[in-house]
Amino acid sequence: MDGGGGDLRTTIKKWNVIYPVYLNSKKAVADGRRIAASKACPDPTCIEIADCCSHLKIPHAIELDKAYPRDFFQVGRVRVQLKKDDGSPVNPAIKTKKQLLIQIAELVPKHHGRTKKQEPPANASNAGPSKTKGGKKKK
């Protein structure tokens, strides 16, 4: 009936949800930001958040087909498992969702995808002035 992966899906449904808007420093609290603007990062993506969860050794699942309810153009979310079935934290250093959001917001600017984008191109030399001839003049 449900394609075989039903047990995993029902387990993941109990995990906490993190939308990229929660960490976006360009958004206001009224728009959905959950942490202080000084601790937040500009325009995080689901992939960056998931990579940070991997770095923090926290089980996660990316749901790219889901949208943020307040803004349907913000597509994607990450589900994270903060507590095991017995109630103990998965990572003892991170006990609450807010602590996790702050940790992720600190790691996203250091993400390898962002550091590559900020480097200037190595061979940005001028090839000299280009000579262009004009076409026919309109009368």
Side-chain angles (χ1 to χ4, degrees), residues 20-21 24-33 35 37 43 71 74:
V21 176
N24 195 344
S25 62
K26 294 181 179 178
K27 297 286 183 181
V29 172
D31 294 331
R33 182 172 40 83
I35 58 175
D43 297 323
D71 183 7
Q74 296 284 332

Side-chain angles (χ1 to χ4, degrees), residues 16 56 58 80-84 87-103:
N16 290 359
L56 295 169
I58 293 182
V80 295
Q81 182 183 15
L82 285 179
K83 297 185 190 295
K84 299 176 188 171
S88 63
V90 173
N91 186 341
I94 300 170
K95 294 180 179 148
T96 64
K97 186 173 179 178
K98 193 147 195 161
Q99 287 176 340
L100 177 64
L101 293 174
I102 291 169
Q103 288 277 337

